[in-house]
Amino acid sequence: MTRSRIQWISPDDPPESFPAVQSALSVPNGLLAAGGDLAPERLVYAYRHAIFPWFDNGQPILWWSPDPRCVLLPNAFHIARRFRRSLRSCQFRVSWNRSFPEVINACARPRVSAPGTWITAGMIEAYMTLHREGWAHSVEVWHGHSLVGGIYGLAIGKVFFGESMFSGANNASKVALLALCGHLAEQEFALIDCQMPTPHLLGLGAQLMPRDEFVELLQNACVPAIRFRQWPETEFAAEVLGTA
């Protein structure tokens, strides 16, 4: 179903003011609503209902629910033979929730392929609040004392909603995602939400899921909306990922 207009949300409107995701535009794919705010209650409600914010500096907050959805099953990460070999000799270490501010700020830096950034100062502040409240989490990849890769997102119930990842060294972001997949598979997570498909994600094992199916999965895996707290407390050498 397509519409010529999207709904405007006031910051005073309750989180449940979002329109039904089935009413999102098809062009651009998934644009659902604008406005509102980035308060923790609204963000958690949005993710639980297959909605996420994505906008540039100077734009109002834009809310999206694309169809289909890009998802990654935790046990479906594709480890290429060359990547597996590199893991066995790499000197990376992996930690969890140790440097969330550094990870999100690294993800926000402009890249050669994308000189702008959608991770605005307001977004950083909002997700820092979610981290302090136990919703948002990070995986860090280290080489020596340097942070060289990482990923962050929200864990609600048994779904991890990936937001962004960065790589400052060859394969560092892959290591972060592989470590995350391994832990979430052990914890019987349903999936990782990757939001929009990219060739890179699809090459790592991500797949496309119809939005209706994704919404139904969230109704089972994110109800009740509980914080996930079972994260590793100690770092480990990334080379062990190559032997899994």
Side-chain angles (χ1 to χ4, degrees), residues 107-212:
C107 290
R109 295 189 191 112
R111 308 175 191 190
V112 174
S113 59
T117 180
W118 57 269
I119 306 176
T120 65
M123 289 281 278
I124 292 175
E125 181 180 356
Y127 286 83
M128 287 290 295
T129 299
L130 288 169
H131 177 62
R132 289 191 293 269
E133 293 189 358
W135 294 109
H137 306 276
S138 61
V139 183
E140 302 93 17
V141 178
W142 304 87
H143 185 264
H145 296 291
S146 299
L147 180 68
V148 294
I151 185 171
Y152 79 94
L154 276 69
I156 305 174
K158 289 293 186 177
V159 175
F160 188 90
F161 298 88
E163 272 298 302
S164 187
M165 56 186 179
F166 84 97
S167 187
N170 192 36
N171 289 329
S173 62
K174 287 184 185 179
V175 168
L177 185 55
L178 176 58
L180 178 64
C181 284
H183 183 65
L184 297 184
E186 290 177 357
Q187 299 296 322
E188 299 182 339
F189 265 57
L191 55 74
I192 298 171
D193 174 29
C194 302
Q195 300 178 349
M196 302 285 199
T198 66
H200 177 66
L201 288 170
L202 295 175
L204 294 177
Q207 62 189 53
L208 299 180
M209 176 180 287
R211 182 172 56 209
D212 287 347

